Amino acid sequence: MTRVVVLGAGIVGAACARELALAGCAVTVVERGRPAAATTAHGEGNVLVSDKGPGPELELARLSRRLWPQILDGLPDAGGVEWDPKGGIVVATTEAGAGALRDFAASQRAAGVDAGEMDAAALADAEPHVTKDVTAAVHYPEDAQVQPAGAATALLADAIRAGAVLRTGREVLGAVTRGGRITGVRTSAGIIEGEAFVNAAGPWSGEVAARLGVRLGVRPRRGEVLVTAPQPPTVFHKVYDADYVGAVGSGAEELQASAVVESTRAGTILLGSSRRRVGFDDRMRPEVLSVIARKALRLFPCLAEVPVMRAYGGFRPYVADHLPVIGADPGLAGLWHTTGHEGAGIGLSVGTAAVLRDLMFGNEPEIDAKPFRVDRPAVRSEGESG
Ligand SMILES: Cc1cc2nc3c(=O)[nH]c(=O)nc-3n(C[C@H](O)[C@H](O)[C@H](O)COP(=O)(O)OP(=O)(O)OC[C@H]3O[C@@H](n4cnc5c(N)ncnc54)[C@H](O)[C@@H]3O)c2cc1C
């Protein structure tokens, strides 16, 4: 039985551990803190196809979207996952934005995404409180939502049921190598040996890779979200401004923000989100929160009187070409990476795990995994810092 050590117990590590344990590997998950407590606890939980244009990330998103309900159906208790296939609605509020949104939706439709334009009456029916200043709206019925920490915990529990072992409070410090191959990781509580190692350390996976002696261009990209006090039903889909896609695709260091509004099962409304490249600086910036609130109010003016209960932030694992990294490390045999999902790692986790399993077992993955390979320039070259 192949011994696999998964480094990191966020949602990506949890999904990989589950997939590999079910495939018959002897899996150990090593986590320096607690499971699902880092970036995974700071995401909004959208499982989206709507924000992805035709290409490899959309294919991974569609694979993941197919897998989520199948996986949840097989879990003994998936209640905490709060799976909600509520659909998404993207709106434009300017004429230029309307043209761009229609073109984007047409390209997605050509790639097989269900993306239907809504007229004003259909939009008012679906989202009665959204602004009337909408120039175009597109409905994406495939968009869904999970509770991120609940989802990660459920995947990890399934991995443990399949035989995986979780080791928390152990920080990965370095590699033990023999003949150009990694045979163990040195941790703060001793060495853990194995035949294969999966770097799933999210925004810290560049740092973990460096400790293991290889280069990986994954860096943190900060994001913040506001949470309102619980409300009566007000927002029924995930609703976001069409300019969100531009903010996601931009690699700019300075603040990018666009309105993303959705309710949770607890009745709170999440107002997101920002994107900033500030290293691991986790200070809350009131001016960033103001921009998020202002943009959300443009979409839902009725939220003006609603109290904000709290704000939180996290670090997305960012790669300069905006694609995840899934594959074997070309410089250190036995090392694999599953990271770099930026703002989509919750949704993409289960597809990533399926692709990793196939690659590790020498099978053809369901989607083309070459675009995610580790030796591409954005991941391997020295690139920018920060
Ligand atoms: C504001 C915000 C909103 C978001 N919204 C969404 C969304 O709606 N939908 C979506 O799909 N994604 C969203 N994301 C992105 C998503 O949260 C991430 O892509 C995802 O959580 C990454 O998961 P991960 O398992 O790779 O990383 P993490 O959850 O960070 O897990 C990595 C783990 O590795 C551990 N680790 C690090 N270093 C070491 C070490 N040396 N030794 C041992 N363990 C170590 C960490 O403690 C951590 O637990 C959002 C992110 C943010 C910040």
Side-chain angles (χ1 to χ4, degrees):
M1 191 189 271
T2 309
R3 289 174 302 162
V4 182
V5 184
V6 176
L7 315 178
I11 196 160
V12 174
C16 293
R18 174 186 172 276
E19 207 59 68
L20 295 172
L22 288 172
C25 299
V27 176
T28 302
V29 183
V30 185
E31 165 59 51
R32 69 176 169 192
R34 286 175 290 113
T39 315
T40 293
H42 300 106
E44 284 156 282
N46 296 299
V47 178
L48 300 185
V49 295
S50 57
D51 63 341
K52 295 169 185 71
E57 199 191 14
L58 177 61
E59 291 315 307
L60 185 59
R62 297 184 72 203
L63 170 64
S64 301
R65 179 62 181 82
R66 284 197 297 280
L67 290 176
W68 268 113
Q70 293 171 19
I71 291 173
L72 296 179
D73 272 353
L75 299 185
D77 178 16
V81 177
E82 298 185 9
W83 171 254
D84 189 353
K86 62 166 102 171
I89 296 177
V90 184
V91 298
T93 51
T94 61
E95 282 310 325
L101 174 58
R102 288 192 183 107
D103 290 347
F104 188 65
S107 72
Q108 291 172 308
R109 274 194 295 275
V113 173
D114 192 347
E117 188 159 352
M118 305 173 92
D119 61 19
L123 178 62
D125 198 36
E127 289 294 341
H129 302 290
V130 78
T131 174
K132 302 292 172 241
D133 297 332
V134 166
T135 50
V138 176
H139 180 216
Y140 293 87
E142 292 159 295
D143 281 358
Q145 189 176 333
V146 292
Q147 206 292 336
T153 309
L155 293 171
L156 196 55
D158 207 35
I160 290 169
R161 264 192 299 276
V165 175
L166 173 65
R167 300 261 181 257
T168 55
R170 290 182 188 218
E171 177 158 0
V172 174
L173 303 173
V176 179
T177 59
R178 200 176 305 135
R181 194 175 179 88
I182 180 168
T183 59
V185 282
R186 278 189 300 105
T187 77
S188 50
I191 290 174
I192 301 179
E193 295 184 323
E195 281 87 46
F197 295 79
V198 179
N199 177 8
W204 298 275
S205 51
E207 185 184 293
V208 165
R211 289 180 181 193
L212 301 179
V214 299
R215 195 196 131 66
L216 199 77
V218 178
R219 294 185 290 273
R221 195 177 185 196
R222 178 87 179 150
E224 284 97 354
V225 176
L226 296 172
V227 186
T228 73
Q231 298 300 303
T234 310
V235 182
F236 300 91
H237 302 75
K238 176 207 167 70
V239 181
Y240 67 91
D241 195 319
D243 71 3
Y244 173 76
V245 175
V248 171
S250 156
E253 292 190 22
E254 69 273 14
L255 172 66
Q256 308 277 307
S258 51
V260 182
V261 181
E262 69 213 286
S263 53
T264 69
R265 212 165 272 180
T268 58
I269 300 173
L270 306 182
L271 313 178
S273 64
S274 57
R275 286 179 144 76
R276 293 182 296 144
R277 297 252 315 281
V278 290
F280 283 106
D281 181 350
D282 64 358
R283 282 172 294 180
M284 280 288 178
R285 296 279 180 199
E287 65 275 16
V288 173
L289 302 182
S290 303
V291 171
I292 295 172
R294 210 167 42 242
K295 294 212 167 195
L297 287 185
R298 224 171 55 198
L299 280 194
F300 283 91
C302 66
L303 296 179
E305 301 304 320
V306 169
V308 167
M309 197 167 64
R310 66 188 180 97
Y312 64 81
F315 298 102
R316 303 178 183 89
Y318 163 85
V319 178
D321 64 5
H322 301 283
L323 281 181
V325 183
I326 311 171
D329 192 287
L332 185 57
L335 178 62
W336 299 75
H337 303 282
T338 49
T339 182
H341 299 86
E342 206 185 327
I346 307 296
L348 299 180
S349 57
V350 292
T352 296
V355 170
L356 173 76
R357 180 208 54 214
D358 288 339
L359 292 175
M360 282 182 104
F361 280 76
N363 298 328
E364 193 67 36
E366 221 177 294
I367 59 169
D368 180 10
K370 283 193 286 301
F372 309 120
R373 72 190 188 280
V374 182
D375 67 355
R376 59 189 211 258
V379 180
R380 228 37 179 185
S381 68
E382 286 305 310
E384 340 134 63
S385 62

